[in-house]
Amino acid sequence: MVKSSQELITKIEDLKLYRQSRVVRWQLRDFMFSENDSEHQLYVTQIIIFISELFNISAEDTLVAIKYGAIHDYVESFSGVGDVNFGVKEANPTLKEMVELLEEQAMRQVPEFYNVMNRCKNNKTALTLVNLADSIDAAIYARREVLYNKHADEWYQLQDETQERVEILFQQLKSLLQKE
């Protein structure tokens, strides 16, 4: 238990949350719009809130999703891997397994965040909501790049992949909500 406000500040300072602002997303592509993990996690959380209200998702599932959405990429600043694109991980199962292991090890360093992650991973609706919000943010980002980037050709594939992933997750969420 934290006994003083100074101890609380120190514990939070030790999380080194500011590092997330240094993890640049989409670093392997020519991008027009810079986005870091802190911004991305904020957008994901806001999208979760919007979808939860739109579909009348339970407060319990929403809270679990919001908590994990706010920290889901926290480990990218500590794992030594940074932001690894979904498509790259999916195309390389060994890399995906390695990244997941590194992420879990990094998340274990902060038991409070590790507990949030596990609660979400054990709640299908909340986890689908986080994955959907994460994918929607990527889809919106890709759309912006396609519209304004002179290197848009490399973003078309990502736009198609994210839109496909959004559709799959959207259908999964609707299915889960119909069962409730």
Side-chain angles (χ1 to χ4, degrees):
M1 183 66 163
V2 176
K3 295 183 180 11
S4 72
S5 61
Q6 288 305 308
E7 184 181 354
L8 177 62
I9 290 170
T10 300
K11 284 181 107 24
I12 292 171
E13 186 178 39
D14 288 346
L15 296 174
K16 299 185 182 350
L17 298 172
Y18 62 86
R19 285 185 179 180
Q20 296 173 87
S21 66
R22 295 182 191 160
V23 179
V24 177
R25 294 176 49 79
W26 314 111
Q27 59 206 7
L28 299 177
R29 297 180 184 265
D30 288 324
F31 56 83
M32 291 281 301
F33 302 97
S34 177
E35 182 178 277
N36 63 48
D37 274 358
S38 294
E39 294 166 320
H40 167 66
Q41 291 173 128
L42 173 64
Y43 301 148
V44 167
T45 304
Q46 292 171 337
I47 293 167
I48 288 167
I49 292 167
F50 181 81
I51 294 170
S52 293
E53 289 296 316
L54 192 64
F55 289 96
N56 199 28
I57 296 173
S58 76
E60 180 183 335
D61 290 343
T62 299
L63 183 58
V64 170
I66 287 171
K67 284 181 174 184
Y68 186 53
I71 63 168
H72 77 280
D73 282 340
Y74 171 76
V75 298
E76 290 180 356
S77 59
F78 293 93
S79 66
V81 176
D83 180 39
V84 180
N85 180 278
F86 177 85
V88 172
K89 288 187 281 191
E90 290 303 305
N92 300 287
T94 304
L95 176 64
K96 180 179 179 179
E97 188 177 312
M98 182 185 78
V99 168
E100 287 174 354
L101 179 64
L102 288 170
E103 288 176 345
E104 181 163 336
Q105 289 172 350
M107 197 64 101
R108 283 182 184 273
Q109 300 301 311
V110 183
E112 296 82 359
F113 288 178
Y114 184 73
N115 293 338
V116 166
M117 179 185 75
N118 280 331
R119 276 195 296 280
C120 189
K121 288 187 175 188
N122 290 317
N123 179 323
K124 285 186 178 186
T125 300
L127 185 58
T128 302
L129 187 53
V130 171
N131 289 335
L132 176 59
D134 191 28
S135 297
I136 288 172
D137 181 53
I140 291 169
Y141 186 91
R143 279 185 182 183
R144 260 194 343 224
E145 289 291 343
V146 165
L147 285 173
Y148 300 106
N149 192 326
K150 67 180 179 182
H151 303 287
D153 53 317
E154 71 179 291
W155 290 94
Y156 282 113
Q157 180 183 0
L158 182 65
Q159 180 180 349
D160 293 344
E161 289 170 0
T162 55
Q163 185 57 50
E164 184 178 315
R165 199 163 64 243
V166 166
E167 183 60 33
I168 290 167
L169 291 163
F170 178 71
Q171 295 304 327
Q172 285 177 3
L173 182 64
K174 282 178 40 179
S175 177
L176 286 167
L177 295 174
Q178 287 174 349
K179 292 177 184 177
E180 291 180 358

